[in-house]
Each structure stands twice: as structure tokens, then as C-alpha cells.
Amino acid sequence: MKLSGSFWAIAVLLLFDASSSQAQSINLPKESKFRFGDDPEWANPAYNDGDWGTQQLGKSYTRDSSYAWYRIRVFIPSAMKTTAGKGLKLQLGKIDDADQTFFNGKRIGETGSFPPDYITQWEKQRVYIIPETEVKWDQENLLAVRVYNLVGGMGMWEGPYTVAPLGWMDEVEVNHSIVETNRKGFITKIHFTNKAAHAFSGTIHYWVADKANAKKLFSQTRQIRLAPGGGSTSTVAFSDFRAPGETVFNIGYKVNDQASPLFLEREELYVATAGLLVPSRGSVNPLVENKIQDHFSGVSFENEQYKGYLNTRFRQNLEQRLLKVDEFGLIGSYLKRPGIHPWAGEHIGKYLEAACNTWKLTHNPALKKQMDRLMYELISTQLPDGYLGTYTPDQYWTSWDVWSHKYNLHGLLAYYSTTGYQPALEACRKIGDLLCRTFGKGPGQMDIILAGTHIGMAATSVLDGMVELYKYTADKKYLDFCYYILDAWEQENGPKVISSILATGKVRKVGNGKAYEMLSNYVGLVKLYRVTGNPQYLEAVERVWQDVVKNQLYITGTSSSHEYFQEDDVLPADNTANMGEGCVTTTWVQLNQNLFAVTGDLKYLEQLEKSVYNHLLAAENPQTGCVSYYTPLLGKKPYTCHITCCQSSVPRGIALVPGFTFGKLNNTTTVLFYEPAVYKYFVSGQDGKNTELVLKLEGNFPESGNFTVTVSTKSAAIIPLAFRVPAWCRNFTARAGNKIYAAGSDPLLTISRSWKPGEKLYISFDMPVQYLPGGKSYPGQFALQRGPQVLALDKSLNTAEVNEKLAATKEGVELDQSGLLMQTKNLPAGWIGKQSYTITMADGKGKIVLVPFADASQSEGDMRVWLPLKIKY
């Protein structure tokens, strides 16, 4: 749901949930009878399900079978009958992947389809109509839901779960807008649209209440009348309300129908941010230093300026994604609890971290206003005890509640470290204190393993945020909580995050093999190693890295299929494989970033480069800013712009990239990525004092490997400069003055000399094409890689003859000896990116057009990385 235009014109926010409080509506029970398997008799109300287990609605399950059934008994009072006899509306939320729903034994709806014509509809809301004639009034009724899930296991994973009379709310659309007045007040307008043939008449009662004590500060009642006929509209405006000095209120309204007892009532938190201005006091460093000193530290974002390919993507991430983000999707579930789905709370924290990193790089004023506003709205929803989730009290600490608190720690700590805004840190302290009181092994405390999905790995991934909170506060109880999480991992019911990987060396045998949540735990563990120095923590994380790189990693720098680690070397890559979840890609980047920082080993930087130039950038459409939840190597990238976990994660991952392109590696100033950029850095001069070093990299990488580096200092200085020699390049040389430096077997070329102000260094390297075999999943097929970029065939850029030939061949297409040629004329108007290559088929009957995988499918064309080629080694 996008905010209306009036919201963009003013800096205030009033968000109403799409659901309604209605007379006589009832909620389904929180738990259902549940069983894996499939039998049509299970739809029969008379069937005895006494030996079935139970499953909580709104909570995903781990799949034991592709088929599962829910049986839910619900008492329906005769008071829900309507005089019009329209029946009842059943809301079942979202079901993964397909469902058939039965009411008292009769099928009333189906979404998606079952094999052999399987179609997933895992993100579609289920709304079915129950005819009044099928209802047993004032009795128990049986609702049976048959579910099919191809891989993974989710089931009835997101609500709402309600039964309500069909009435005027299904015929009249109600929404609202707010207009700020010049007297620091606001006017609320309620808009009505008739979708039925008959007229509607009623009353609207509107109020503004104090957030703290619910005391009404203002109220008004107005009449509403809609003319008959679909499309007729009416708007009711309420008087200007002003409360000087106050910023947070409860605002609501109730609409009554004159012809029925049914009513619509909505009440939400409202945060006025029109005059909000949060000054930036500068970045804040942690109070606790790492026990293990970093081997690599990046230059501060403020001292970086990018000019080339990455700069284009950074700018698009800012302008097309962050500045156009759906603010309702980020904050709405906090203003109106419960949230719109179980993990709705994670998005705002991810946004804040991405926004802070992007603002440090760009200092974009519009972004600063946006992130200030959203941060303030978030902390305004925190409860006195520190709770900052999207659940109602009866559901606290279930499903994804701890998970959301984790991301709020990330986002608010990022905001605090960027701006020095103390209330953001205080909100984090309250979260940390609440977690310490709630979970543990003391009397009355909860087991954190039972508070989250995937054998507790979702909840225990809060380790990452708690390590950071300890570093910024120096409060030892947060460190103690981190140790409690490690103990919980090894409980009988725990995922064995350390012991299992050390014993087996296989990530798919840790917990339930869920990639995103598992890797998130290991990111926390490597951060804990940096703080404590316990070598076992690093050993465990390195074992994870080794297994992923050897057995689980796609050539584009991502992992997972259907969100799980698979059998070794099983790497399916089409749209049905649900491969390369964006959250997994971003978390893999985080893991490598931390490992590189603490060890300085360039093998981790090589993985960062692979992920960035391929799967991370591929997951965000450079034209629209939309994101693909899963990003296949074969087929069309399924870009969408609405908020989901990956749509929040991928922009966050892109915003991390400036942190590892350049910096000090083992105390030597080192260029790691060859992007056109300007870096400012302080180094030790000949006199032992710090002097500012400015490096200006000019070139057009990744199109070519020719660079000019201008070295600027205030005076001549002997400064060692190191340049990474990528594994994919050949003939790496550098020339300064009359001296030529050639790279050898070392992955770094270090040049130590007296640099004159403005002296230039000329770098050159070749980027030969590599042919990568398709392995176990795609035998007989190959992918092409040039430099760090994997290339892809985008069908929209190729002729029908070429596309048909590649699709039809069984023996593979042979290529001629001319090699890969740059051909930018193949790119259409509006295409983001300058790279296009052709390679000629040996029979001379066509040229295959290839573009970087990161750029492919941006205009919705089908693409493929794996190609049926005849390659001679």
C-alpha cells in the first residue's frame, strides 16, 4: 500500500490498517488440529482427528511432506446473520503454496493449484465466501484447509484469520488523508467510494486522544451519504486540531450504517513530524574495543566519492529504492498492532541501517529528513517496558518477535552511531534490558529457543545486535546475554550452531538447514569472536565459510534453494528453484565482510567482489529500484516493489559496499575494488605526523582494466600503496614515472616510494573470458565470466533465431575463435549500464548478445546464465 499524495506533501503520518473492527466479527482459534499427508476424508466434519497434532496459525512449519491439512472448529452465533442473507466472509491470510478450503465438508475456495498443474500463490491473501445456507448457527462448524507446499514448508503462515458478516464494508471503500494547516495543526478527511448499486447512509464519529492515558482531546460527528451506483464518492472533513508541544496521539473514527448494526472502527497511533529536525552531532565510536584487532579497516564513508558503475547503482539504490520506499510497509505495523504479517517488524530496522550508510556516503538532505522521521516514529511506538515489536500481548515472544527486535537494534544503533542522537541509543538499551529480563535460565524466564522459528535460530540471531549493544554501552549484562544464547544453541532442543558445524563441517546439518537465519547467527558469532577472542568461535565460522564456498555457492555469489542449504553441489537455478534469496545474499556479504576485517585474508574479499558484482546488484532493478526476492540464473527476474524481507535486505546489502572497497590492510593503504572513485585518508608522513592522502582513481571498470591513479599529498611523502591483484585478471602491471611494477604470485602489489603531490600511477590488467562448467545441476552447459562479472543472455537483446537455436539444441552450440567483443549498440534506450558483448556462433548464423548478469532482465526480458555450448578445454 503506497502512501497517498497528500502524505508526501506534508511531514506527518497517520496510518490505518486495512483491516476493520466490525460488529459480530470473530477470530479463528489460535491453534488448529494439524497433520502431514493427504486424504480427502479429512474434509469430513465427522472424521475423528483426536490423534492429530496441533499447529499455531500464523506460524510456519518445517515440511515433512508436501501435503498437510488443518482442521479448525469455530462456533458461529446466529447474531452474525444479516437481514440481506449475504453470507459470511472468511479471511485466511496467506498460505504457502496452494490451498483448497472446505467448510462443513463442502469446498468454498481454492488459491493456487495442486499437482500435476502446480501453481504457487504463496503471497496472495485468501478471502472466501461462506453461503449462509452452509452455516450451522449457534453450533460448532468445521473448517478444513488442504495445503500443498513444493519445498521448505510454510503452511498458513500469515493472517488475518477472521469470520465476519458480509455487509456494507464490502460495498463501500473507506480511506483517509491528512492536510497540515499553517497553524501547526492538521485536518483529517475521510473518503468514501460506493461500489454497490444502492445508496449508503450513516454517521462518522471522529476523535483525537492522548497517547498516554487515552483521554479524548477532540471529537466530532458528521453525517455521510453516498448516492447509488458504483463509483459515487463523498469526502467528510473534520475541524482543524492543534495541540502545541504534543507530537504523538491516538486518532480514530467509527462509521455506523443506518440500515444495519454493522460498523467500521479504526484507531491508530499518529506521530506528527512536520517540525522534526534531528541535528547530526557526528559519528559515535563504540565504547568497547575489539579484543582481536582488525587487519582491515575501511575509510569512512564521508571520505569516499564514487564515479562509475558502482556509483550508478548506489545512486539508483538511493533515488529509486530508499527515497521511494513504501513507508506504510516499514512503520505501519508498529502504529497499529498486530502487524500485517509475523515478520513485518524487521523492515524499519533494515531500512534505517541502509539509510544511515547511504546518507554517510551522499549526505542527501531528503534522505536525512526521511530517516529522521521514520526513526522518530519508531521510538515513539516503544512501550514503557521496552517492547518494540508488532505483536499484541497475547502473542509476545512467539514466531518472529525477537527477530524484529534484533533488526530494531541494528537500525537504531546505526542511527545513533551516525548522528549521535541519544534517544535512539536509549531505545536500544530498553530493548536489551527487556530481552535480558525475559529470556534466560532464571525463575520465570523463557527459553529463547522456543521464542522463534527454525529451531530457535530466528530468535537467537539477536546475538548480532546484542554484541553491538554491548560495544556501544559497555554494559556487561548484554555480553552475558550473548553467552546465554551460545548455551541455548547447545541445549537438547537447540540448533547446535557451534557443535554441529565443528562435528560435521556441513551447514545443511546445522539446525534445520535454513540458510538466512543460520548465517545470521554466524554473523553474530564472528562479531563475538572479535570482542572476546575465543578461537572456537572463529573456527566454527570458518568451517561454515569453507562448506558454503566448496559445496553450496552459486557462481554469482549467493546460496540456498527454497531458502535452505541443499545437498552438496546441488544448485538448481531456474525460477521454480527459488534460489538466491536476497536475504541470504546480503547476510553472506556481511559474513565475508566481518571475516575479511578480522583476518585480512583476501579470499574473503574475493567472495565479496563476486557477490557484489553479480547476485547482490542483480537482485535490484537499476531502472525501477524494485527487488527480486529470489533471483534466478535462468528465466525472468521476478522484480516487485512492495515490502518483503528481501526487498528490505538487498538495499541494505548494497549500502554496505563502500565499507570494503578501499582502506588500510595490515597497516598499508590498499585499493581493493577498481571503481572510479576519490578516497581521502590519513597516513603517517616522513616526519611521523599524519598527513592527508587523496587517491583519485580514473577509468571505466568493469568495462576495461586501464586506470590512472593520482596521488595527492600536501608535500612529498614516502607512502606504501598496495593494489589488489584479482584472481580473475592477467598481466597486472603498474607504472610510476619510468618504473614498471609487475605483479607476481602475491595477491597484492605493494609500491613504496616517495610520492610527489599530484603524481600519477598507471595500472593495467587484462580480463580474459572464463568458461565455467554447469556442474552437477547443469551438465554440458557453461557460463561466461569476464573480470568479476558473470554474463547472461537477455532474450530481449537477442534475435529470435539465436534464442530458438539455443533453446532447441541438444548437442550444444559451437563458438568461433573471435572471442568476446564489446558491442554497446545492442543496448536499448533507458538501459542502465554500458556493457554489452557479442560472441559469434561457429556456423556463422548468428551472434549471441551477452550483458552482465547484474544488468540482465531489467527490462523484463527472460535471461539465462547457463548456456548449451561446446567448449574445448
PDB file of all heavy atoms in Angstrom, residues 779-781 804-813 868-870:
ATOM      1  N   PRO A 779      24.904 -30.119 -16.340  1.00  0.00           N
ATOM      2  CA  PRO A 779      25.980 -30.763 -17.106  1.00  0.00           C
ATOM      3  C   PRO A 779      25.859 -30.409 -18.589  1.00  0.00           C
ATOM      4  O   PRO A 779      24.765 -30.311 -19.136  1.00  0.00           O
ATOM      5  CB  PRO A 779      25.735 -32.254 -16.861  1.00  0.00           C
ATOM      6  CG  PRO A 779      24.273 -32.356 -16.512  1.00  0.00           C
ATOM      7  CD  PRO A 779      23.959 -31.102 -15.774  1.00  0.00           C
ATOM      8  N   GLY A 780      27.015 -30.181 -19.217  1.00  0.00           N
ATOM      9  CA  GLY A 780      27.015 -29.861 -20.643  1.00  0.00           C
ATOM     10  C   GLY A 780      26.706 -28.404 -20.929  1.00  0.00           C
ATOM     11  O   GLY A 780      26.635 -28.016 -22.102  1.00  0.00           O
ATOM     12  N   GLN A 781      26.513 -27.592 -19.903  1.00  0.00           N
ATOM     13  CA  GLN A 781      26.256 -26.170 -20.106  1.00  0.00           C
ATOM     14  C   GLN A 781      27.375 -25.361 -19.454  1.00  0.00           C
ATOM     15  O   GLN A 781      28.070 -25.836 -18.554  1.00  0.00           O
ATOM     16  CB  GLN A 781      24.896 -25.777 -19.546  1.00  0.00           C
ATOM     17  CG  GLN A 781      23.742 -26.542 -20.198  1.00  0.00           C
ATOM     18  CD  GLN A 781      22.395 -25.905 -19.926  1.00  0.00           C
ATOM     19  OE1 GLN A 781      22.242 -24.694 -20.026  1.00  0.00           O
ATOM     20  NE2 GLN A 781      21.413 -26.724 -19.586  1.00  0.00           N
ATOM     21  N   GLU A 804      15.928 -19.208 -30.376  1.00  0.00           N
ATOM     22  CA  GLU A 804      15.346 -20.507 -30.736  1.00  0.00           C
ATOM     23  C   GLU A 804      16.428 -21.571 -30.884  1.00  0.00           C
ATOM     24  O   GLU A 804      16.244 -22.725 -30.478  1.00  0.00           O
ATOM     25  CB  GLU A 804      14.546 -20.365 -32.029  1.00  0.00           C
ATOM     26  CG  GLU A 804      13.264 -19.559 -31.860  1.00  0.00           C
ATOM     27  CD  GLU A 804      12.629 -19.189 -33.187  1.00  0.00           C
ATOM     28  OE1 GLU A 804      13.159 -19.641 -34.239  1.00  0.00           O
ATOM     29  OE2 GLU A 804      11.632 -18.452 -33.182  1.00  0.00           O
ATOM     30  N   LYS A 805      17.548 -21.197 -31.460  1.00  0.00           N
ATOM     31  CA  LYS A 805      18.627 -22.176 -31.659  1.00  0.00           C
ATOM     32  C   LYS A 805      19.176 -22.654 -30.321  1.00  0.00           C
ATOM     33  O   LYS A 805      19.402 -23.856 -30.118  1.00  0.00           O
ATOM     34  CB  LYS A 805      19.739 -21.557 -32.495  1.00  0.00           C
ATOM     35  CG  LYS A 805      20.839 -22.556 -32.858  1.00  0.00           C
ATOM     36  CD  LYS A 805      21.771 -21.994 -33.909  1.00  0.00           C
ATOM     37  CE  LYS A 805      22.791 -23.040 -34.328  1.00  0.00           C
ATOM     38  NZ  LYS A 805      23.670 -22.563 -35.415  1.00  0.00           N
ATOM     39  N   LEU A 806      19.366 -21.733 -29.376  1.00  0.00           N
ATOM     40  CA  LEU A 806      19.880 -22.122 -28.063  1.00  0.00           C
ATOM     41  C   LEU A 806      18.864 -22.969 -27.305  1.00  0.00           C
ATOM     42  O   LEU A 806      19.237 -23.861 -26.538  1.00  0.00           O
ATOM     43  CB  LEU A 806      20.243 -20.876 -27.257  1.00  0.00           C
ATOM     44  CG  LEU A 806      21.491 -20.129 -27.737  1.00  0.00           C
ATOM     45  CD1 LEU A 806      21.621 -18.791 -27.031  1.00  0.00           C
ATOM     46  CD2 LEU A 806      22.746 -20.964 -27.500  1.00  0.00           C
ATOM     47  N   ALA A 807      17.583 -22.679 -27.494  1.00  0.00           N
ATOM     48  CA  ALA A 807      16.549 -23.449 -26.810  1.00  0.00           C
ATOM     49  C   ALA A 807      16.401 -24.844 -27.389  1.00  0.00           C
ATOM     50  O   ALA A 807      16.069 -25.798 -26.662  1.00  0.00           O
ATOM     51  CB  ALA A 807      15.213 -22.704 -26.879  1.00  0.00           C
ATOM     52  N   ALA A 808      16.669 -24.991 -28.696  1.00  0.00           N
ATOM     53  CA  ALA A 808      16.406 -26.272 -29.370  1.00  0.00           C
ATOM     54  C   ALA A 808      17.592 -27.223 -29.353  1.00  0.00           C
ATOM     55  O   ALA A 808      17.409 -28.436 -29.468  1.00  0.00           O
ATOM     56  CB  ALA A 808      15.984 -26.003 -30.818  1.00  0.00           C
ATOM     57  N   THR A 809      18.806 -26.697 -29.220  1.00  0.00           N
ATOM     58  CA  THR A 809      19.977 -27.558 -29.370  1.00  0.00           C
ATOM     59  C   THR A 809      20.066 -28.616 -28.278  1.00  0.00           C
ATOM     60  O   THR A 809      19.754 -28.371 -27.120  1.00  0.00           O
ATOM     61  CB  THR A 809      21.274 -26.721 -29.369  1.00  0.00           C
ATOM     62  OG1 THR A 809      22.382 -27.602 -29.591  1.00  0.00           O
ATOM     63  CG2 THR A 809      21.463 -26.007 -28.039  1.00  0.00           C
ATOM     64  N   LYS A 810      20.469 -29.806 -28.671  1.00  0.00           N
ATOM     65  CA  LYS A 810      20.690 -30.889 -27.721  1.00  0.00           C
ATOM     66  C   LYS A 810      22.183 -31.195 -27.580  1.00  0.00           C
ATOM     67  O   LYS A 810      22.611 -31.757 -26.573  1.00  0.00           O
ATOM     68  CB  LYS A 810      19.943 -32.142 -28.170  1.00  0.00           C
ATOM     69  CG  LYS A 810      18.424 -31.994 -28.133  1.00  0.00           C
ATOM     70  CD  LYS A 810      17.726 -33.285 -28.548  1.00  0.00           C
ATOM     71  CE  LYS A 810      16.209 -33.132 -28.485  1.00  0.00           C
ATOM     72  NZ  LYS A 810      15.513 -34.369 -28.913  1.00  0.00           N
ATOM     73  N   GLU A 811      22.934 -30.852 -28.602  1.00  0.00           N
ATOM     74  CA  GLU A 811      24.363 -31.153 -28.593  1.00  0.00           C
ATOM     75  C   GLU A 811      25.206 -29.967 -28.147  1.00  0.00           C
ATOM     76  O   GLU A 811      26.394 -30.127 -27.859  1.00  0.00           O
ATOM     77  CB  GLU A 811      24.801 -31.590 -29.991  1.00  0.00           C
ATOM     78  CG  GLU A 811      24.106 -32.872 -30.453  1.00  0.00           C
ATOM     79  CD  GLU A 811      24.539 -33.269 -31.844  1.00  0.00           C
ATOM     80  OE1 GLU A 811      25.301 -32.491 -32.471  1.00  0.00           O
ATOM     81  OE2 GLU A 811      24.153 -34.349 -32.305  1.00  0.00           O
ATOM     82  N   GLY A 812      24.588 -28.789 -28.091  1.00  0.00           N
ATOM     83  CA  GLY A 812      25.343 -27.604 -27.721  1.00  0.00           C
ATOM     84  C   GLY A 812      25.787 -26.815 -28.935  1.00  0.00           C
ATOM     85  O   GLY A 812      26.000 -27.369 -30.017  1.00  0.00           O
ATOM     86  N   VAL A 813      25.938 -25.517 -28.762  1.00  0.00           N
ATOM     87  CA  VAL A 813      26.338 -24.619 -29.844  1.00  0.00           C
ATOM     88  C   VAL A 813      27.842 -24.398 -29.779  1.00  0.00           C
ATOM     89  O   VAL A 813      28.391 -24.104 -28.716  1.00  0.00           O
ATOM     90  CB  VAL A 813      25.596 -23.269 -29.720  1.00  0.00           C
ATOM     91  CG1 VAL A 813      26.147 -22.267 -30.728  1.00  0.00           C
ATOM     92  CG2 VAL A 813      24.103 -23.470 -29.915  1.00  0.00           C
ATOM     93  N   PRO A 868      23.924 -23.728 -23.472  1.00  0.00           N
ATOM     94  CA  PRO A 868      24.336 -25.014 -24.072  1.00  0.00           C
ATOM     95  C   PRO A 868      25.439 -24.779 -25.107  1.00  0.00           C
ATOM     96  O   PRO A 868      25.170 -24.516 -26.278  1.00  0.00           O
ATOM     97  CB  PRO A 868      23.040 -25.522 -24.714  1.00  0.00           C
ATOM     98  CG  PRO A 868      22.280 -24.261 -25.043  1.00  0.00           C
ATOM     99  CD  PRO A 868      22.627 -23.260 -23.988  1.00  0.00           C
ATOM    100  N   LEU A 869      26.673 -24.860 -24.677  1.00  0.00           N
ATOM    101  CA  LEU A 869      27.814 -24.563 -25.536  1.00  0.00           C
ATOM    102  C   LEU A 869      28.745 -25.765 -25.631  1.00  0.00           C
ATOM    103  O   LEU A 869      28.852 -26.561 -24.700  1.00  0.00           O
ATOM    104  CB  LEU A 869      28.593 -23.366 -24.987  1.00  0.00           C
ATOM    105  CG  LEU A 869      27.829 -22.050 -24.800  1.00  0.00           C
ATOM    106  CD1 LEU A 869      28.722 -21.013 -24.153  1.00  0.00           C
ATOM    107  CD2 LEU A 869      27.268 -21.549 -26.126  1.00  0.00           C
ATOM    108  N   LYS A 870      29.426 -25.855 -26.756  1.00  0.00           N
ATOM    109  CA  LYS A 870      30.508 -26.832 -26.909  1.00  0.00           C
ATOM    110  C   LYS A 870      31.817 -26.116 -26.595  1.00  0.00           C
ATOM    111  O   LYS A 870      32.245 -25.232 -27.336  1.00  0.00           O
ATOM    112  CB  LYS A 870      30.549 -27.373 -28.343  1.00  0.00           C
ATOM    113  CG  LYS A 870      29.420 -28.319 -28.703  1.00  0.00           C
ATOM    114  CD  LYS A 870      29.616 -28.839 -30.114  1.00  0.00           C
ATOM    115  CE  LYS A 870      28.514 -29.812 -30.512  1.00  0.00           C
ATOM    116  NZ  LYS A 870      28.716 -30.301 -31.914  1.00  0.00           N
TER     117      LYS A 870
END
